[in-house]
């Protein structure tokens, strides 16, 4: 297991909700709903060590943009080392998605991939992230969130009109993937 990841989890004070980096099985389930051929602006919240980030970049359209929001300074610095002109690394809260989309000339987010530990973040922050994400999401896009429990289901259903749930046993711990649409 990645020593940097473990070190940052211990120092995070709850802002990192994972016990270990995400598995390739979880990454596959998280990225399955994304239509890479047509998506030009994808947003990722809480990329951590960049497992999903690298997979997103592998499939991102050559003219696409990937905006990633990482508040952990160590992860942010490491993510800035990824050499891809389509990648925009932001050291700020996902609550501010709207202003960053405008700044980087994206009219909307086609898809939002989130690894944020929403069940442990302050309620007001979670509310702002979800509402702002819905507002910035394209009509045909999806907000894709993973969690280790179903605790977030009712909150997601109160914001998004359609919420599908997938499960992957092959992750430590096993995880639920919520696919939310306007």
């Amino acid at each position: 297991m990645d020593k940097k990841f473990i070190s940052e989890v211990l120092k995070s004070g709850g802002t990192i909700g994972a016990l270990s980096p995400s598995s390739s099985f979880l990454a596959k389930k998280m990225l399955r709903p994304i239509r890479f051929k047509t998506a030009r602006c994808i947003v990722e919240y809480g990329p951590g060590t960049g497992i999903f980030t690298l997979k997103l970049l592998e499939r991102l359209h050559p003219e696409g943009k990937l905006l990633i929001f990482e508040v952990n300074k160590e992860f942010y610095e490491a993510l800035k080392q990824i050499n891809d002109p389509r990648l925009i690394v932001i050291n700020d809260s996902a609550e501010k998605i709207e202003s960053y989309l405008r700044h980087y000339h994206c009219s909307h987010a086609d898809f939002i991939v989130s690894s944020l530990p929403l069940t442990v973040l302050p309620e007001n922050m979670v509310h702002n992230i979800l509402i702002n994400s819905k507002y910035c999401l394209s009509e045909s896009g999806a907000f894709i969130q993973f969690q280790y429990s179903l605790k977030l289901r009712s909150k997601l259903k109160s914001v998004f009109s359609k919420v599908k749930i997938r499960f992957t046993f092959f992750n430590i711990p096993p995880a639920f993937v919520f696919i939310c649409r306007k």
Side-chain angles (χ1 to χ4, degrees):
M1 193 178 308
D2 187 328
K3 287 181 183 178
K4 179 169 216 49
F5 182 84
I6 294 170
S7 170
E8 291 306 308
V9 168
L10 295 174
K11 293 189 308 189
S12 76
T15 59
I16 300 173
L19 301 173
S20 65
S22 300
S23 72
S24 61
F25 297 101
L26 179 56
K28 188 175 182 179
K29 286 226 185 206
M30 290 284 287
L31 275 52
R32 185 173 289 145
I34 299 174
R35 292 184 305 280
F36 286 98
K37 287 183 181 178
T38 58
R40 293 299 181 270
C41 184
I42 298 176
V43 175
E44 182 182 10
Y45 298 157
T49 59
I51 290 170
F52 297 158
T53 306
L54 295 174
K55 301 247 182 234
L56 285 163
L57 288 170
E58 284 174 11
R59 299 182 61 196
L60 184 64
H61 191 279
E63 296 171 12
K65 292 180 187 177
L66 175 59
L67 282 68
I68 61 175
F69 288 79
E70 179 55 64
V71 296
N72 178 285
K73 196 72 170 160
E74 295 293 323
F75 290 154
Y76 166 75
E77 292 297 334
L79 291 162
K80 282 186 4 183
Q81 302 309 308
I82 298 172
N83 187 18
D84 191 314
R86 301 169 299 166
L87 180 65
I88 299 164
V89 185
I90 301 164
N91 185 222
D92 207 345
S93 171
E95 292 173 283
K96 298 178 182 175
I97 181 176
E98 184 181 3
S99 64
Y100 282 101
L101 286 175
R102 254 194 329 268
H103 180 77
Y104 290 105
H105 310 290
C106 294
S107 59
H108 58 268
D110 293 303
F111 293 89
I112 300 171
V113 175
S114 175
S115 301
L116 295 177
L118 296 178
T119 57
V120 298
L121 295 177
E123 181 66 29
N124 189 45
M125 179 185 286
V126 172
H127 176 78
N128 290 341
I129 289 169
L130 295 178
I131 293 297
N132 294 344
S133 295
K134 180 182 177 183
Y135 176 76
C136 291
L137 197 59
S138 73
E139 289 301 320
S140 61
F143 174 84
I144 307 159
Q145 169 75 52
F146 89 85
Q147 295 285 273
Y148 300 119
S149 75
L150 292 171
K151 185 177 175 184
L152 190 64
R153 177 176 31 192
S154 63
K155 181 74 170 166
L156 291 170
K157 285 185 174 185
S158 73
V159 174
F160 295 95
S161 63
K162 296 178 186 174
V163 178
K164 288 185 181 177
I165 303 170
R166 302 289 183 254
F167 180 75
T168 182
F169 183 75
F170 300 108
N171 193 66
I172 299 173
F176 294 93
V177 176
F178 297 89
I179 303 156
C180 310
R181 298 189 185 273
K182 286 178 131 174

